[in-house]
Amino acid sequence: MAIKLGAEQIQQLKDQLAEANRNSHFVIISAVSKQEQSRVNMVTDWNNFLNMKSTNADNFDFHVIRDILPITTNLVYWAVAQQNLHTVTQQGDQDEQAVDDLEFYTNKVMEENKVRAE
């Protein structure tokens, strides 16, 4: 876990997530591969869920597992990890720590919302 945030940063990010939540609330979804029948659960926002559902409907079945997630410290860390991985990917880099952080905080959000990680 390479992400370090102070209490003030966490509160500021919670406020930003609360604002984003008003536009597109956070959800936990399940995506099941139609070919392999493998499942992955993930945290995302409603608009991204709808986008994934419309663009990947041929390959995956998507379902909402938890709707309207509370804005928690774990969700803040998940959002930072998500952004870090996005930034690294955009730069064309590979960073195992960014992948590990996202997986770790995704699992933390799943746990606090009583969803078993797949």
Side-chain angles (χ1 to χ4, degrees):
M1 297 178 312
I3 300 173
K4 303 285 186 217
L5 301 172
E8 191 173 305
Q9 286 175 296
I10 290 171
Q11 188 55 55
Q12 185 178 35
L13 290 168
K14 277 185 179 180
D15 293 344
Q16 290 175 6
L17 287 180
E19 181 64 31
N21 197 48
R22 287 191 257 292
N23 297 321
S24 180
H25 63 276
F26 294 95
V27 295
I28 296 174
I29 66 169
S30 174
V32 179
S33 168
K34 291 181 178 180
Q35 265 188 301
E36 301 164 9
Q37 293 304 307
S38 59
R39 169 193 309 262
V40 63
N41 293 341
M42 63 187 90
V43 179
T44 191
D45 65 75
W46 183 254
N47 289 340
N48 194 43
F49 163 69
L50 293 177
N51 183 47
M52 285 189 290
K53 194 173 178 176
S54 68
T55 59
N56 296 299
D58 292 342
N59 299 317
F60 294 91
D61 285 322
F62 292 94
H63 306 282
V64 173
I65 299 172
R66 290 286 183 276
D67 201 1
I68 309 176
L69 300 181
I71 306 300
T72 64
T73 299
N74 283 325
L75 191 64
V76 166
Y77 277 95
W78 166 84
V80 171
Q82 179 79 18
Q83 183 60 47
N84 288 350
L85 183 59
H86 176 75
T87 300
V88 166
T89 303
Q90 290 293 102
Q91 294 170 348
D93 295 335
Q94 290 185 338
D95 184 347
E96 288 301 315
Q97 186 62 55
V99 173
D100 291 346
D101 285 346
L102 182 58
E103 182 178 355
F104 179 81
Y105 290 111
T106 297
N107 288 336
K108 287 296 210 183
V109 171
M110 300 280 183
E111 286 172 22
E112 73 185 359
N113 286 281
K114 300 178 179 25
V115 173
R116 199 170 46 116
E118 300 273 339

